[in-house]
Structures are given as C-alpha cells and as structure tokens.
Amino acid sequence: MTRDPRYDILFTPLKIGPVTTKNRFFQVPHCTGMGYIRPRMLASMREVKAEGGWGVICTEYNSIHPSSDDLRHVSASLWNDSDIRAHRLMTDKIHAHGALAGAELWYGGARSANMMTREVALDLDSMPNSVGHPFQTRAMDKTDIRNLRRWHRKAAIRARDAGFDVVYVYATHGYLLANFLDPARNTRSDEYGGVMENRVRLVRELIEETKDAVGDKCAVAVRFAADEQVGEDGIPITGERRDMFEMLAPLPDLWDINIADYGVEMGVSRFTKEGALEPYMGFVKSITDKPVVTVGRFTSPDTMVSQLKRGVTDLIGAARPSIADPFLPAKIEAGDLGAIRECIGCNVCYSGDSLGVPIRCTQNPTMGEEWRKGWHPEKIDPKGSDTRVLVVGAGPAGMEAARALGQRGYEVMLAEATRELGGRVRREATLPGLSEYIRVKDYREQQMLKMPNVEVFRESQMSAQDVHAVEADHVVIATGAHWRKERFNGNRYVSVTPDGADAHVLTPDDIMDGRMPDGPTLVYDEDGYYLGGVIAEKLRAAGLDVTYATPADVVSQWAENTSERWRVRSHLMKLGIEIELSKSLTEFDGKTARLACEYGGTVTDLKVRTVVMVTQRKTNDTLYNDLITGAGGDRAKLPFTLSRVGDCDAPAIIAAAVYAGHRYARELDAPIDSDEPLRHDRVDVGETPEGSYLMGRT
Ligand code: ADP
Ligand code: SF4
C-alpha cells in the first residue's frame, strides 16, 4: 500500500522561523502524568510518536520556576541544569527520527498553589487560587515582573540547550499570562494593566525576550486563545481577541491557537465532535502569515486535508489522536487507513494528569508502558510456541487479547455468545453521545479480519464442555460483567426492595436491552462515572420525569478526572433532570424511593415508579468457575492453561479491559518476573545520596 495522493499536502514540509518541520503532523503540548518525575518513561513515550511520523513533538507544560508547581498534577520543569539532562533523553530520541522537539514554558499564577515547593505563587493581583486551594497569590510588583522575565529567559535558554527546536510562550488556559491579557481580570493600574496595549505588554516582552534568547536556533511559538469565553450554546465570545491578535501577530514564528475553556477545547466526544474549534478560527489566518496550528481531535485524513486546503490551519495539531495512535501519520503515509486506532474522546488519558499517575489510553494499551514494560504500539514479539488459544468473549478485553495474540502469530479462536462483537462498547455506543465508543470494537475487528490465523465464532455461547471440546492449549475467559440490582452499603451488597422483590428495579443492562421504565424514574448512581448521567439522559429523551441521585457530593464524581464533570451536570440540568446529591437510596417499595442524607440521615421520599440502579457490577464468571470445578478445584489439572481477563476478572473502566487483554497476549509464553513486573522510573540517588542531591541543584 502507498499513500493516496489526496493526502500529499499533509506531508509537505513547512518552515517555522529558523527550523523546518518535515510534515504537517504536530503533537501539541499535552500532559502525561510523567513530567519531571518520570523522565525515562516520558522520553520513550515521545520517541514512539517520532517514530510514528509526527513532525513536531512537544512537552507538557514546563514550569520555569519553583513558584509555579502543580503537583499532584505532574508538569515538566526547566529549573536547573539537571532538567536539561532529563529533557535531553527525549530530544535526542525525537531527533533520531527526524522530528522537531518543542518545549512549552509555563507559569501557573493563580492556578498553581505550589503545594510541593511551598513557594508563594505570583499573579497580577492578590487573587484566590482558581482551582480551589485556600491559597492566594502575591500581587506582582515591578521586581516580581522583572524576576519572572528573567526566569522565563533562563528557562528558554535551558530549553535551547536541552535540544528543543520550538520554544513556547504559553498565554492561555487561565494561567498567569492569560490573566494579564484578560480585560475582566487585569485591573492593574500600572503599565501592565488597563488598556489593551498595557495588558499585552508582558506577553509581548516575553515573546521578544524569548526570541532574543533562542531565536537563531529555535522557533518561538505562542499559545493563544481565540476567544475570551464560551457563551450560551457554545457560541464564542471573541471580544477584543481579534485586535489583540493583530497587535501580536508579527512577533512569534508560530501561532498555536486554542480556546479559553479547556473543558470544551478538550471536550469528551459526548459533547464535542471532531474539528470543534473551527468556528473560533475564523479571523486567525486572515491576520497572520505566520504558520498556525490548532487542534480538533482529528483522526480523519480527509478532515485534516480539508482544514489545510480551506486555510483554517497550516499544521494539524493533535494530542489525543497521537496518544490513541502514535503511528497515525505513518499509517496515512502507508495508505493503511483501516489500521488507524481512532481516539474515542473518552479523556481517560487526561485522568493520568488529574490523578498524578502516568498516562493511559482506552484505545492504546501501550501508552505510558513504552519504557517500563518495553511495549511498542505496533510491534510485538512473535509467538513463543506453536499453540492454539481459545478466547471466550469478544468485549474490549477478549478482542484485544485475540488481536494481539493474532499479531504474535498464534492460532486464535475467538468465541462470542452474540452475533455482534464488542461487548460493552457495542451496547454503550447506542447510548446518547457515546457513538464513538464503537471505535474500540471497529479497530480490533478490522485488524482481525486481516489475520488468517484468527477465527471468530459468533453466536457461540460457550459452556465448560464446549471449551474442552475445542482442545486448545490455552484458554482465556473474557466474559465480562453485568450490572447489579443491589447497592453496596459500605460492607456488602444489599437489595433496596423490601424482601428482595425487584419489581420496577432496572439496571443499565435493561435499558441497553430496550426495557424502558414507563413513569417517573430515579436513576441512582453509585458508580460515579459517566453511565449514570448517560442513562438519565436517555430516559429523559424518552419523555420521562427523571431524578438523578448519588451518595457523592457531586454529579459523576470520577468524571472530574476526565474533565467532563462540569459539563455532565450542566447538561443534565439543561435537560430538566432533577438532581439529589449526598443521598443514599435505602429503600424502594415500588412507589416511594427513600433517600437518606449522607450527612446525618435526613430522609427524602421520592414518588417514582421505577428505579434504575447504576451501582456496581457482578462478574460473569460462571464459565471460569465451572472449568475449575470440573478439574476438582485445581486449575493445574486442566488440559490447558486457564486465565481470565477484563471485567470478568475485576470490573473496571474500558481502558482497564483493553489493557488486561493486551497484557495477556504479551505475556503468553513470555512470563514476567512477578516480583518485579516493571521497570521503576524514579530519581536514582546512586551510591551517595548527598552527591546526587547536589547534582540536582547545579
Ligand atoms: P470486557 O469489558 O471485559 O471485555 P464485556 O462485558 O465488554 O467484557 O464483554 C464480554 C463479552 O463476552 C460479551 O460480548 C458477552 O456476550 C460475551 N460472553 C459472555 N459469556 C460468554 C460465553 N459463555 N461464551 C461466549 N461469549 C460470552
Ligand atoms: Fe482518546 Fe480516550 Fe485514548 Fe484519550 S484515552 S487518547 S480520549 S481514546
């Protein structure tokens, strides 16, 4: 296969100031949960993208000084020379594949409370911390501004010395520089506040000083928001942004344009579709002749070409598409579009940053595991034996296990009880807003179709006897889980209906199977992720009066980590769904649902006809248990190896099921040392801890 000439434009080089990118694929800065804490993992992860054809690969936000520290969210840093060495690990690897490396310099201001360094954060005024820490900033005086400019300049020089080709001035996302630009926030009375010329002064100075510091070797990019805020129904309020942009337009070598609201810019697919920033980009290219990059969760090469040809942007910016498929450019280049692992827009990747743990991805189970497990997104060791593997269940876990085993060359049989493959993603993709989840199935199905050594058996509900009849050498059970009607009371699963009667109690499985309630309904959410809200939306769309209740203090608590919680709640409110927070469902008799307040037990009675329990799941482990029981309780007595993966092992998010299936495939005939299952990336103090500490300060 070769590249379709329609896509040639994506592979044309572009000059960006003093450097030239070989193509138009630009991995914009994105957080990874690795940053300065896990430099080896980070370097290998970015290297894989360079290998996969991205022309420019950027860091996450790079703190320029200890008074800008975001832990537990892990940033990169450019504080001292040891940071230069850490970044070198990455830039050398990126350059080895002919790509450019970019560093985004960052100062958090009122968004960083500096919980690790304990330095006082600086901002334009004594402002409250904007992400909820009870710490205010120090209002910057002239000395502070001079210091900031010096720190920025020194960080830029370090970036240059670390081998970066592009250095960013980061003026968006509510961080310090965005505040200086903002007419609503910047009420300073000196030459850095008031009229627009004054508010852009600091950004202008930093662009000029960064150019002066690195401009003959590195391009200087500016990240800038095309809007001030998102208005009603997503209509951007651009305010004076156009004039501001006009003022700064000639200064940098590259404009990286996004929007002020991160929750929309990086919106989940439920609310935000591919190319969503285009309406905001209207004025940008008409004002500057400097190269422009923007994002839009682009996975379709046709959309990318259209963006370039219509002059919306010059470079295809991507964070999530490059995470889901680090080889996206290489696959377009090779004309192998069916092999692209398209991002599903779930934002599980972002949860790594939210939780301060390494990045993971629903579609790409190797993401974050490149260094510590040696996993590559496209390459895998050949099979370790001429054996046959039976995979039972074609949900995310079973499909990924079968696909990766097939890639290794094993003879694989995938048996699925239903006609359609996909398991939970096939079912959930029918719910409001989740249609892109089907990509988890589509990618794997496409790949398996190309593998003569993988056979798929549909409508094959397997019993223990059936499994034995296959005479496989290895059997992996991936039969998933189903939603319970009970709830977990902190100690055990309990029924909410008197005497355990389950009349009018439904689960998400019932709703997905088309069994709908027919009167006022309570959706009771103990799961705390996206499904409770999605089920409530589906019932509301069917014309029902719906109340959403949860024992948590907020709607969709875990969705905070995927940056969608705020949008979920505002969406439910807009739909007219009533919300009850901090309340546990204690009883439902078919007419009244009794909710007890988590703080003191005050009871609220709701008159409803049906309750949908979105609580916990029960593993579908009958087959697994039958096989073990049949062997007298001793797995070793079976004529095949037996394993279970995914939700039938331990119910969790889709990403965990894909990962479990992949891991099974990797480790078959390649046992790992279970005492040391992965390489440990952390500061190595060497023989003399004191010496190492001093080294860190040089
Ligand atoms: P996971 O997320 O772990 O992949 P899913 O619930 O998405 O789990 O998928 C499990 C799949 O297993 C479903 O498609 C289901 O139809 C299938 N399945 C369950 N039991 C059997 C069985 N005994 N034989 C074949 N397929 C089964
Ligand atoms: Fe896309 Fe989800 Fe992967 Fe993030 S985790 S890159 S949103 S598929």
Side-chain angles (χ1 to χ4, degrees), residues 88-169:
R88 267 272 173 215
L89 295 177
M90 178 185 358
T91 55
D92 285 349
K93 287 179 195 293
I94 289 173
H95 291 153
H97 296 281
L100 301 177
E104 181 183 51
L105 307 195
W106 164 73
Y107 194 88
R111 279 187 76 95
S112 67
N114 307 336
M115 304 302 286
M116 197 277 279
T117 62
R118 304 185 74 173
E119 294 290 307
V120 172
L122 309 181
D123 212 312
L124 47 77
D125 200 349
S126 176
M127 296 170 66
N129 179 269
S130 58
V131 289
H133 297 289
F135 290 76
Q136 287 191 212
T137 56
R138 176 194 303 150
M140 293 172 83
D141 62 18
K142 294 281 171 51
T143 307
D144 294 321
I145 290 181
R146 269 197 302 277
N147 285 343
L148 177 93
R149 289 167 58 186
R150 191 179 64 256
W151 299 336
H152 200 276
R153 185 186 182 89
K154 285 170 85 172
I157 291 169
R158 288 191 189 109
R160 179 199 64 194
D161 293 347
F164 287 102
D165 310 283
V166 181
V167 178
Y168 266 76
V169 176

XYZ file of all heavy atoms in Angstrom, residues 88-169:
649
model
N 17.092 16.083 27.615
C 17.949 15.550 26.551
C 17.583 14.101 26.196
O 17.688 13.687 25.040
C 19.418 15.593 26.981
C 20.128 16.815 26.560
C 20.728 16.652 25.147
N 21.259 17.940 24.733
C 21.244 18.387 23.486
N 20.726 17.646 22.522
N 21.748 19.548 23.194
N 17.180 13.369 27.238
C 16.768 11.977 26.972
C 15.719 11.962 25.873
O 15.698 11.096 25.004
C 16.152 11.346 28.232
C 17.018 11.134 29.459
C 16.165 10.573 30.595
C 18.167 10.193 29.131
N 14.812 12.946 25.945
C 13.700 12.989 24.992
C 14.105 13.612 23.669
O 13.818 13.058 22.609
C 12.554 13.793 25.611
C 11.388 13.935 24.684
S 10.025 14.958 25.224
C 10.390 15.504 26.792
N 14.770 14.757 23.709
C 15.047 15.463 22.445
C 15.961 14.626 21.546
O 15.770 14.593 20.333
C 15.658 16.858 22.704
O 16.824 16.719 23.509
C 14.656 17.772 23.387
N 16.919 13.928 22.142
C 17.802 13.089 21.314
C 17.000 12.010 20.600
O 17.223 11.714 19.426
C 18.889 12.432 22.180
C 19.981 13.423 22.580
O 20.001 14.538 22.012
O 20.782 13.095 23.477
N 16.074 11.415 21.323
C 15.260 10.340 20.718
C 14.358 10.907 19.617
O 14.161 10.283 18.578
C 14.401 9.654 21.792
C 15.191 8.757 22.744
C 14.242 8.162 23.772
C 14.941 7.550 24.960
N 15.731 6.371 24.684
N 13.796 12.079 19.855
C 12.912 12.688 18.849
C 13.711 13.028 17.587
O 13.304 12.724 16.461
C 12.216 13.937 19.448
C 11.173 13.500 20.481
C 11.565 14.787 18.352
C 10.534 14.637 21.262
N 14.887 13.618 17.792
C 15.713 13.997 16.636
C 16.169 12.777 15.841
O 16.307 12.850 14.619
C 16.933 14.793 17.109
C 16.570 16.150 17.643
N 17.320 16.820 18.571
C 15.507 16.957 17.375
C 16.750 17.982 18.849
N 15.642 18.087 18.145
N 16.381 11.674 16.529
C 16.849 10.459 15.827
C 15.852 10.014 14.758
O 16.219 9.299 13.824
C 17.079 9.344 16.842
N 14.605 10.434 14.881
C 13.595 10.058 13.881
C 13.264 11.227 12.948
O 12.245 11.207 12.249
C 12.323 9.573 14.590
C 12.541 8.324 15.387
N 12.588 7.073 14.809
C 12.762 8.133 16.715
C 12.808 6.166 15.750
N 12.918 6.781 16.915
N 14.092 12.270 12.959
C 13.898 13.377 12.021
C 12.776 14.322 12.394
O 12.299 15.086 11.546
N 12.337 14.295 13.645
C 11.262 15.183 14.076
C 11.835 16.351 14.879
O 12.987 16.311 15.319
C 10.251 14.418 14.917
N 11.016 17.377 15.066
C 11.393 18.518 15.893
C 10.801 18.354 17.285
O 9.718 17.783 17.437
C 10.858 19.816 15.285
C 11.304 20.179 13.867
C 10.600 21.466 13.415
C 12.821 20.339 13.795
N 11.516 18.913 18.269
C 11.023 18.844 19.654
C 10.638 20.244 20.122
O 11.379 21.202 19.881
C 12.108 18.265 20.555
N 9.495 20.356 20.788
C 9.036 21.651 21.289
C 8.881 21.635 22.800
O 8.475 20.622 23.374
N 9.201 22.772 23.439
C 9.042 22.882 24.898
C 8.082 24.025 25.210
O 8.254 25.141 24.714
C 10.387 23.155 25.557
N 7.087 23.750 26.014
C 6.109 24.762 26.396
C 6.487 25.330 27.764
O 6.416 24.632 28.778
C 4.717 24.128 26.465
C 3.623 25.098 26.826
C 2.266 24.413 26.962
O 2.177 23.394 27.698
O 1.302 24.866 26.350
N 6.898 26.600 27.786
C 7.270 27.234 29.054
C 6.004 27.697 29.763
O 5.118 28.272 29.142
C 8.191 28.428 28.810
C 9.442 28.201 27.960
C 10.403 29.361 28.144
C 10.135 26.893 28.293
N 5.963 27.470 31.062
C 4.693 27.676 31.776
C 4.894 28.348 33.123
O 5.784 27.978 33.881
C 4.027 26.303 31.964
C 2.933 26.266 32.987
C 1.679 26.800 32.858
C 2.976 25.678 34.289
N 0.948 26.568 34.002
C 1.717 25.872 34.892
C 3.954 24.987 35.009
C 1.421 25.418 36.179
C 3.670 24.529 36.297
C 2.404 24.742 36.860
N 4.040 29.324 33.392
C 3.961 29.889 34.733
C 2.492 29.898 35.150
O 1.661 30.535 34.518
C 4.559 31.313 34.791
C 4.763 31.712 36.229
C 5.958 31.398 36.891
C 3.754 32.330 36.946
C 6.128 31.700 38.237
C 3.919 32.638 38.291
C 5.107 32.319 38.936
O 5.279 32.595 40.265
N 2.170 29.182 36.227
C 0.779 28.901 36.580
C 0.008 30.051 37.186
O -1.195 30.177 37.009
N 0.684 30.947 37.939
C -0.034 32.034 38.604
C -1.093 31.491 39.547
O -0.850 30.548 40.309
N -2.299 32.045 39.461
C -3.355 31.683 40.413
C -3.876 30.268 40.214
O -4.684 29.789 41.012
C -4.509 32.679 40.303
N -3.446 29.580 39.186
C -3.856 28.177 39.026
C -2.908 27.214 39.734
O -3.165 26.015 39.774
C -3.929 27.811 37.540
C -5.216 28.258 36.879
C -5.282 27.710 35.476
N -5.616 26.301 35.475
C -6.839 25.831 35.338
N -7.842 26.651 35.170
N -7.072 24.547 35.340
N -1.782 27.698 40.225
C -0.870 26.765 40.915
C -0.711 27.216 42.364
O -0.429 28.381 42.627
C 0.490 26.718 40.210
O 1.155 27.942 40.344
N -0.919 26.268 43.281
C -0.816 26.623 44.700
C 0.541 26.226 45.272
O 0.833 26.503 46.422
C -1.935 25.951 45.483
N 1.375 25.557 44.448
C 2.747 25.221 44.836
C 2.807 24.380 46.114
O 3.574 24.671 47.040
C 3.584 26.503 44.967
C 3.483 27.347 43.723
O 3.193 26.824 42.633
N 3.689 28.632 43.839
N 1.967 23.370 46.133
C 1.875 22.537 47.327
C 3.163 21.757 47.576
O 3.449 21.378 48.701
C 0.708 21.552 47.191
C -0.641 22.200 46.920
S -1.129 23.361 48.182
C -1.566 22.242 49.483
N 3.932 21.486 46.528
C 5.177 20.751 46.713
C 6.302 21.700 47.121
O 6.972 21.485 48.119
C 5.533 19.999 45.419
C 6.545 18.894 45.595
S 8.239 19.454 45.601
C 8.549 19.614 43.848
N 6.483 22.787 46.369
C 7.646 23.646 46.642
C 7.417 24.619 47.796
O 8.359 25.127 48.378
C 8.000 24.483 45.390
O 6.888 25.338 45.069
C 8.315 23.588 44.204
N 6.169 24.930 48.094
C 5.795 25.880 49.147
C 6.241 27.314 48.848
O 6.305 28.150 49.746
C 6.299 25.413 50.520
C 5.794 24.022 50.863
C 6.154 23.580 52.240
N 5.346 24.253 53.248
C 5.361 23.946 54.540
N 6.145 22.972 54.964
N 4.626 24.591 55.409
N 6.549 27.572 47.567
C 6.816 28.958 47.161
C 5.479 29.686 47.000
O 4.473 29.061 46.652
C 7.561 28.980 45.819
C 8.955 28.405 45.864
C 9.913 29.304 46.638
O 10.002 30.488 46.321
O 10.557 28.791 47.578
N 5.485 30.972 47.220
C 4.251 31.747 47.025
C 4.051 31.971 45.527
O 4.982 32.381 44.824
C 4.339 33.101 47.766
C 3.139 33.989 47.407
C 4.401 32.870 49.264
N 2.854 31.675 45.039
C 2.563 31.883 43.624
C 2.359 33.363 43.359
O 1.817 34.084 44.196
C 1.315 31.099 43.227
N 2.790 33.783 42.174
C 2.665 35.192 41.797
C 1.587 35.352 40.740
O 1.482 34.528 39.835
C 3.987 35.709 41.219
C 5.260 35.458 42.036
C 6.464 36.054 41.306
C 5.138 36.064 43.420
N 0.805 36.433 40.853
C -0.133 36.743 39.775
C -0.338 38.248 39.747
O 0.258 38.974 40.543
C -1.450 35.972 39.931
C -2.072 35.643 38.578
O -2.166 36.566 37.747
O -2.451 34.488 38.350
N -1.200 38.695 38.838
C -1.267 40.135 38.637
C -1.859 40.878 39.825
O -1.698 42.074 39.982
C -2.024 40.467 37.350
C -3.351 39.784 37.047
C -4.475 40.359 37.840
C -3.629 39.922 35.557
N -2.566 40.139 40.682
C -3.159 40.757 41.857
C -3.119 39.707 42.971
O -2.720 38.568 42.731
C -4.608 41.156 41.529
C -5.145 42.208 42.492
O -4.477 42.459 43.513
O -6.214 42.753 42.213
N -3.585 40.051 44.147
C -3.710 39.048 45.202
C -4.996 38.285 44.937
O -6.074 38.659 45.399
C -3.758 39.727 46.570
O -3.967 38.735 47.547
N -4.867 37.213 44.144
C -6.056 36.524 43.640
C -6.276 35.204 44.364
O -5.310 34.552 44.774
C -5.906 36.246 42.137
C -5.841 37.529 41.337
S -5.374 37.264 39.643
C -6.729 36.354 39.002
N -7.551 34.763 44.474
C -7.797 33.429 45.031
C -7.289 32.382 44.054
O -7.290 32.606 42.840
C -9.317 33.362 45.142
C -9.820 34.362 44.157
C -8.787 35.435 44.072
N -6.871 31.260 44.593
C -6.443 30.166 43.724
C -7.642 29.689 42.912
O -8.719 29.451 43.463
C -5.879 29.023 44.585
C -5.439 27.864 43.748
O -6.212 26.963 43.485
N -4.196 27.903 43.304
N -7.468 29.552 41.611
C -8.627 29.301 40.749
C -8.998 27.829 40.646
O -9.962 27.494 39.964
C -8.392 29.887 39.357
O -7.232 29.333 38.804
N -8.246 26.949 41.289
C -8.666 25.548 41.281
C -8.988 25.048 42.692
O -8.959 23.854 42.965
C -7.637 24.625 40.577
C -7.638 24.877 39.090
C -6.235 24.804 41.141
N -9.275 25.981 43.579
C -9.895 25.598 44.848
C -8.995 25.458 46.049
O -9.469 25.096 47.127
N -7.689 25.748 45.926
C -6.832 25.670 47.115
C -6.982 26.960 47.931
O -7.085 28.044 47.349
C -5.364 25.506 46.705
C -5.090 24.245 45.951
N -5.110 23.013 46.540
C -4.821 24.022 44.641
C -4.848 22.076 45.643
N -4.673 22.659 44.472
N -6.981 26.846 49.251
C -7.152 28.064 50.063
C -5.861 28.874 50.177
O -5.363 29.141 51.268
C -7.606 27.506 51.418
C -7.013 26.139 51.476
C -6.924 25.632 50.075
N -5.297 29.206 49.033
C -4.058 29.985 48.980
C -4.263 31.131 47.993
O -4.696 30.887 46.866
C -2.887 29.133 48.447
C -2.407 28.060 49.378
C -3.129 26.884 49.542
C -1.220 28.214 50.072
C -2.687 25.886 50.393
C -0.765 27.208 50.921
C -1.503 26.051 51.090
N -3.930 32.338 48.375
C -3.985 33.447 47.415
C -2.595 33.719 46.867
O -1.585 33.311 47.452
C -4.545 34.694 48.093
C -6.033 34.564 48.348
C -6.707 35.850 48.778
O -7.658 35.803 49.538
N -6.237 36.995 48.322
N -2.586 34.409 45.757
C -1.300 34.754 45.145
C -0.769 36.069 45.724
O -1.521 36.837 46.328
C -1.449 34.939 43.627
O -2.452 35.930 43.391
C -1.852 33.647 42.960
N 0.511 36.305 45.493
C 1.074 37.616 45.810
C 0.890 38.501 44.581
O 1.152 38.068 43.449
C 2.561 37.496 46.122
C 3.233 38.851 46.376
C 4.746 38.761 46.346
N 5.213 37.790 47.307
C 6.338 37.080 47.152
N 7.079 37.226 46.079
N 6.706 36.207 48.062
N 0.428 39.732 44.811
C 0.295 40.673 43.691
C 1.695 41.051 43.209
O 2.543 41.479 44.005
C -0.465 41.908 44.146
N 1.951 40.872 41.943
C 3.304 41.101 41.424
C 3.615 42.595 41.368
O 2.860 43.371 40.786
C 3.430 40.517 40.011
C 3.337 39.005 39.986
S 3.250 38.349 38.294
C 4.968 38.328 37.844
N 4.751 42.949 41.954
C 5.213 44.328 41.768
C 6.250 44.333 40.644
O 6.501 43.309 40.011
C 5.746 44.911 43.085
C 6.944 44.134 43.617
O 7.575 43.376 42.818
O 7.269 44.264 44.802
N 6.853 45.461 40.404
C 7.783 45.588 39.272
C 8.965 44.612 39.407
O 9.440 44.053 38.425
C 8.309 47.022 39.181
C 7.250 48.047 38.843
C 6.954 48.042 37.355
C 5.755 48.894 37.030
N 5.793 50.257 37.598
N 9.413 44.419 40.650
C 10.535 43.493 40.846
C 10.117 42.080 40.480
O 10.856 41.340 39.828
C 10.994 43.530 42.328
O 11.248 44.871 42.655
C 12.227 42.681 42.554
N 8.896 41.711 40.898
C 8.398 40.365 40.566
C 8.308 40.185 39.051
O 8.630 39.120 38.519
C 7.018 40.140 41.189
C 7.066 40.110 42.712
O 8.030 39.534 43.244
O 6.151 40.665 43.336
N 7.852 41.218 38.371
C 7.731 41.111 36.907
C 9.124 40.961 36.291
O 9.338 40.135 35.402
C 6.952 42.317 36.325
C 5.477 42.197 36.749
C 7.070 42.368 34.796
C 4.573 43.292 36.250
N 10.059 41.714 36.796
C 11.440 41.578 36.281
C 11.965 40.171 36.546
O 12.592 39.552 35.687
C 12.356 42.620 36.941
C 12.450 43.938 36.166
C 13.668 44.767 36.610
N 13.653 45.072 38.032
C 12.962 46.095 38.578
N 12.274 46.907 37.814
N 12.993 46.302 39.877
N 11.676 39.649 37.750
C 12.121 38.286 38.080
C 11.493 37.269 37.129
O 12.175 36.382 36.619
C 11.734 37.924 39.517
C 12.626 38.621 40.529
O 13.700 39.105 40.176
N 12.180 38.687 41.773
N 10.197 37.425 36.936
C 9.503 36.483 36.050
C 10.135 36.493 34.660
O 10.376 35.442 34.064
C 8.016 36.838 35.952
C 7.270 35.919 34.990
C 6.652 34.741 35.740
C 6.211 36.640 34.200
N 10.421 37.674 34.158
C 11.015 37.766 32.816
C 12.385 37.091 32.792
O 12.739 36.411 31.823
C 11.111 39.228 32.395
C 9.733 39.812 32.088
C 9.748 41.311 31.977
N 10.661 41.809 30.962
C 10.929 43.104 30.774
N 10.315 44.003 31.515
N 11.762 43.480 29.835
N 13.128 37.255 33.872
C 14.445 36.606 33.931
C 14.292 35.083 33.993
O 14.995 34.361 33.281
C 15.220 37.121 35.150
C 16.691 36.699 35.143
C 17.459 37.219 36.337
N 16.985 36.691 37.610
C 16.248 37.369 38.485
N 15.924 38.630 38.238
N 15.845 36.807 39.618
N 13.348 34.595 34.805
C 13.142 33.141 34.904
C 12.737 32.571 33.535
O 13.187 31.494 33.145
C 12.024 32.813 35.906
C 12.276 33.274 37.311
C 13.495 33.517 37.905
C 11.278 33.568 38.299
N 13.311 33.936 39.186
C 11.970 33.971 39.474
C 9.891 33.527 38.328
C 11.306 34.326 40.648
C 9.221 33.873 39.495
C 9.923 34.277 40.636
N 11.860 33.324 32.859
C 11.385 32.848 31.557
C 12.550 32.782 30.567
O 12.713 31.799 29.822
C 10.283 33.787 31.037
C 9.399 33.189 29.988
N 9.747 33.179 28.663
C 8.191 32.564 30.059
C 8.779 32.586 27.956
N 7.827 32.194 28.794
N 13.375 33.808 30.589
C 14.510 33.843 29.667
C 15.474 32.684 29.961
O 15.935 31.993 29.049
C 15.236 35.192 29.834
C 16.351 35.399 28.848
C 17.123 36.688 29.178
N 18.164 36.869 28.174
C 17.973 37.518 27.039
N 16.815 38.060 26.770
N 18.953 37.623 26.157
N 15.763 32.480 31.259
C 16.689 31.395 31.621
C 16.109 30.040 31.231
O 16.831 29.157 30.755
C 16.987 31.445 33.130
C 17.932 32.576 33.497
C 18.019 32.766 34.994
C 19.030 31.860 35.652
N 19.208 32.208 37.081
N 14.808 29.883 31.426
C 14.181 28.603 31.051
C 14.251 28.406 29.538
O 14.484 27.287 29.053
C 12.732 28.569 31.530
N 14.067 29.492 28.783
C 14.140 29.389 27.319
C 15.539 28.948 26.898
O 15.703 28.096 26.011
C 13.782 30.733 26.689
N 16.549 29.522 27.543
C 17.934 29.148 27.197
C 18.186 27.681 27.558
O 18.810 26.930 26.805
C 18.933 30.104 27.895
C 18.804 31.494 27.240
C 20.356 29.584 27.811
C 19.512 32.606 27.964
N 17.640 27.261 28.695
C 17.791 25.840 29.069
C 17.095 24.948 28.044
O 17.602 23.879 27.698
C 17.216 25.587 30.457
C 18.051 26.153 31.562
C 17.590 25.663 32.943
N 18.299 26.418 33.959
C 17.750 27.342 34.741
N 16.460 27.586 34.663
N 18.478 27.998 35.610
N 15.930 25.390 27.584
C 15.212 24.593 26.575
C 16.072 24.458 25.323
O 16.198 23.379 24.740
C 13.869 25.238 26.248
N 16.652 25.574 24.914
C 17.542 25.534 23.743
C 18.697 24.564 24.003
O 19.011 23.702 23.175
C 18.101 26.945 23.479
C 19.040 27.026 22.306
C 19.901 28.274 22.373
N 20.793 28.247 23.543
C 21.457 29.299 24.012
N 21.306 30.473 23.431
N 22.257 29.185 25.072
N 19.305 24.669 25.182
C 20.452 23.818 25.491
C 20.053 22.352 25.629
O 20.885 21.457 25.480
C 21.139 24.300 26.776
C 21.777 25.664 26.575
O 21.894 26.086 25.403
O 22.136 26.306 27.580
N 18.789 22.116 25.939
C 18.307 20.724 26.041
C 17.998 20.150 24.661
O 17.631 18.983 24.548
C 17.066 20.655 26.916
N 18.140 20.986 23.626
C 17.971 20.467 22.269
C 16.603 20.724 21.655
O 16.299 20.195 20.586
N 15.784 21.542 22.301
C 14.466 21.813 21.714
C 14.599 22.725 20.492
O 15.506 23.558 20.423
C 13.532 22.439 22.760
C 13.069 21.438 23.784
C 13.633 21.400 25.053
C 12.094 20.504 23.452
C 13.222 20.460 25.984
C 11.677 19.560 24.388
C 12.244 19.533 25.652
N 13.674 22.544 19.562
C 13.673 23.316 18.317
C 12.592 24.391 18.327
O 12.634 25.320 17.532
C 13.399 22.387 17.128
C 14.300 21.170 17.161
O 15.477 21.307 16.812
O 13.825 20.076 17.581
N 11.591 24.201 19.182
C 10.485 25.157 19.290
C 10.327 25.473 20.781
O 10.314 24.558 21.611
C 9.161 24.560 18.754
C 8.031 25.581 18.853
C 9.316 24.057 17.320
N 10.226 26.759 21.104
C 10.023 27.165 22.498
C 8.743 27.998 22.558
O 8.565 28.935 21.790
C 11.225 27.975 23.026
C 10.963 28.429 24.458
C 12.496 27.147 22.963
N 7.879 27.604 23.476
C 6.551 28.227 23.575
C 6.480 29.306 24.643
O 6.987 29.126 25.759
C 5.541 27.171 24.023
C 4.768 26.452 22.951
C 5.363 25.465 22.190
C 3.424 26.734 22.750
C 4.629 24.766 21.241
C 2.679 26.044 21.812
C 3.287 25.056 21.058
O 2.554 24.374 20.135
N 5.761 30.384 24.320
C 5.239 31.312 25.333
C 3.769 30.927 25.484
O 3.017 30.920 24.514
C 5.375 32.777 24.862
C 4.730 33.719 25.874
C 6.845 33.123 24.630
